[in-house]
Amino acid sequence: MRYVSTRGAAPALGFEDVLLAGPAADGGLYVPESFPRLAPGEIRALAALPYAEMAARVMQPFVAGAIAEKDFARIAADAYAAFRHPAVAPLVQLDANLWLLELFHGPTLAFKDYALQLVGRLFDLVLKKRGRRVTVVGATSGDTGSAAIEACRDRESIDIFILHPRGRVSEVQRRQMTTVTSRNVHNIAIQGTFDDCQDLVKAMFADEGFRDRMSLAAVNSINWARVMAQTAYYFAAAAAIGAPERPVSFAVPTGNFGNAYAGYVARRMGLRIARLVVATNRNDILARFLETGELAAAEVTATLSPAMDIQVSSNFERLLFEISGRDGNAVGRLMKRFRAEGAISVGHAGLEAAREVFSGFRLDDDGTLASIAETHKRCGLLADPHSAIGIAAAKAAREPAVPMIAVATADAAKFPEAVEKATGVRPALPPHLADLMERPERCAELPNDLKSVQDFVAARTERKGAA
Ligand SMILES: *Cc1c(COP(=O)(O)O)cnc(C)c1O
């Protein structure tokens, strides 16, 4: 499988290079040259398989030519062995023809584990093969940092440095990062905001000398391998309730559009998905786009579902590429205009192409609390605020003849305040994290200053004879 850039001006690459590359040289994102298709019989056969085997089969065409089938199957088995539910991605029925796909049974209790547990191991495999090491750097406002740390801890070819804004992430989120004591894991609390952290990471990548000396790498949500890994649970869920015979729909809590776009990819691979509902909070740029065809950024407002407090959804460019008829030049022009003016329009044909698959939904914080309360009252389930928006979207968009699956993206215990406010019940952390509040923490504190952070990264990386 070869991969091309959404802006059409960067060289095509194979899977290994796309895995390690980050954005393409022309500023675009890599996508497969063509989408592989699974025949109805192959989809039917998935229902009988354990999750890891099913996932390896779905993803195999994307790594074909780069990673041997046997190695890939072993990596997938290893990645999903640590999940706390034997089904890995279980479905729970909420109502007639309404289901919840629970994607929070990984080590850090959010759906990002489903991709990152695989990606960390793929990095290790490819780097060992090439005799290389990398230094992963990233900024987090919450869930991504812990999922990336859990994915990279103790991997021989990786050092990982995660920046978070000091005092501005929840205590559970901070402790999920700072209590990991593996030698290759480094947490940095920055005296600044999340935007400061992100700017520091961008500046480290922009400093070419530093980037090359440290072999900097990223595992952020534009990484193609993360999208690829996320297609698997769409197949798992649809096969479990009757694919390929029955079409299904999904409602997906959305921020950077990685998860919802993975559903789109599954559909292009032959899965009969009738509708993908893009569920947003008050930061509703994507819901507005699906109403008007105009992508117009607004101020980000803080909500009860912080992982969706995003205005510029980086993976949206991948959909733009498809609805523009895979015209990289057109995408390049649109993205340039969007960066300059904060708004673009895709025209009638583009909007119709997007609407054929997607519809939008938005819910404010009061609605989110009401959805948590109702889910608890009617089904006895504690939904986290992100999942509760997905459930409300699923109910609103349901059609009688098509099973609807709401995607649950985090465990309620990650957002105990909102859940307790809505239900009166404080969700408990699962057993493997029960002593989280007592574990010792390890974290450096640094000023919002590029040189200080670079010196820290260089000192910790070089001590192990890397780069
Ligand atoms: C990251 C995240 C999302 C948003 O997913 P995208 O792929 O960025 O759209 C939703 N819910 C939770 C809990 C998350 O951690």
Side-chain angles (χ1 to χ4, degrees), residues 202-380:
K202 278 188 196 147
M204 281 192 268
F205 275 96
D207 179 344
E208 275 178 43
F210 183 77
R211 188 186 67 202
D212 294 344
R213 207 162 54 247
M214 293 294 120
S215 289
L216 291 192
V219 290
N220 52 19
S221 84
I222 59 153
N223 193 302
W224 167 260
R226 283 182 61 177
V227 174
M228 168 188 91
Q230 291 169 182
T231 62
Y233 47 70
Y234 286 95
F235 279 93
I241 54 176
E245 278 71 27
R246 284 212 291 180
V248 294
S249 292
F250 290 89
V252 190
T254 300
N256 256 323
F257 199 63
N259 202 358
Y261 171 72
Y264 173 85
V265 173
R267 189 175 187 270
R268 294 292 301 265
M269 292 170 72
L271 194 62
R272 278 178 72 198
I273 296 180
R275 192 137 288 280
L276 287 163
V277 187
V278 175
T280 71
N281 60 29
R282 281 178 54 203
N283 299 291
D284 62 347
I285 180 169
L286 293 173
R288 283 183 285 119
F289 167 78
L290 288 163
E291 282 157 15
T292 63
E294 191 185 46
L295 192 70
E299 283 285 296
V300 177
T301 37
T303 71
L304 294 175
S305 44
M308 292 152 66
D309 291 348
I310 286 170
Q311 280 293 342
V312 180
S313 305
S314 40
N315 278 292
F316 185 76
E317 180 167 344
R318 289 186 160 121
L319 180 67
L320 204 54
F321 184 62
E322 301 302 332
I323 65 176
S324 313
R326 295 205 141 209
D327 179 346
N329 289 328
V331 173
R333 279 196 306 274
L334 281 169
M335 291 310 297
K336 207 164 142 196
R337 182 156 359 120
F338 183 68
R339 204 172 327 114
E341 297 167 16
I344 49 172
S345 181
V346 298
H348 183 71
L351 178 59
E352 285 312 304
R355 275 185 179 163
E356 193 191 317
V357 187
F358 292 101
S359 32
F361 176 84
R362 80 175 63 75
L363 196 64
D364 63 13
D365 279 350
D366 287 342
T368 304
L369 291 170
S371 177
I372 297 173
E374 181 172 304
T375 305
H376 183 241
K377 194 164 128 232
R378 295 188 43 128
C379 309

Side-chain angles (χ1 to χ4, degrees), residues 30-258:
Y30 278 106
V31 292
E33 204 165 49
S34 64
F35 290 110
R37 283 187 75 85
L38 273 74
E42 293 176 294
I43 294 173
R44 196 174 298 118
L46 297 175
L49 298 177
Y51 187 87
E53 271 177 57
M54 184 279 320
R57 255 198 225 180
V58 169
M59 290 186 267
Q60 180 61 42
F62 293 115
V63 303
I67 297 175
E69 215 164 317
K70 182 168 57 64
D71 290 338
F72 192 59
R74 179 176 45 77
I75 283 179
D78 193 42
Y80 298 112
F83 282 56
R84 291 163 298 115
H85 194 298
V88 181
L91 276 170
V92 174
Q93 189 159 14
L94 298 182
D95 200 341
N97 249 356
L98 180 66
W99 308 76
L100 189 69
L101 176 61
E102 293 185 348
L103 299 181
F104 49 71
H105 295 286
T108 73
L109 317 184
F111 87 97
K112 293 185 173 70
D113 289 327
Y114 289 73
L116 282 166
Q117 284 294 316
L118 189 86
V119 168
R121 288 167 172 83
L122 285 171
F123 259 69
D124 221 25
L125 178 89
V126 170
L127 291 167
K128 271 186 193 151
K129 195 152 103 186
R130 296 184 171 193
R132 275 185 61 197
R133 293 182 59 85
V134 292
T135 302
V136 169
V137 295
T140 189
S141 59
D143 293 335
T144 311
S146 57
I149 285 171
E150 278 299 328
C152 295
R153 67 185 293 176
D154 302 321
R155 308 241 157 266
E156 288 165 24
S157 316
I158 304 174
D159 292 294
I160 179 166
F161 295 79
I162 296 292
L163 281 59
H164 71 262
R166 191 182 75 98
R168 293 175 199 242
V169 298
S170 79
E171 184 170 9
V172 170
Q173 287 176 325
R174 185 190 75 236
R175 285 180 165 273
Q176 280 188 293
M177 299 190 284
T178 57
T179 59
V180 177
T181 52
S182 306
R183 284 189 47 193
N184 69 330
V185 171
H186 306 278
N187 280 287
I188 305 174
I190 294 292
Q191 295 158 352
T193 64
F194 171 60
D195 286 334
D196 294 331
C197 295
Q198 238 179 348
D199 288 344
L200 286 166
V201 169
K202 278 188 196 147
M204 281 192 268
F205 275 96
D207 179 344
E208 275 178 43
F210 183 77
R211 188 186 67 202
D212 294 344
R213 207 162 54 247
M214 293 294 120
S215 289
L216 291 192
V219 290
N220 52 19
S221 84
I222 59 153
N223 193 302
W224 167 260
R226 283 182 61 177
V227 174
M228 168 188 91
Q230 291 169 182
T231 62
Y233 47 70
Y234 286 95
F235 279 93
I241 54 176
E245 278 71 27
R246 284 212 291 180
V248 294
S249 292
F250 290 89
V252 190
T254 300
N256 256 323
F257 199 63

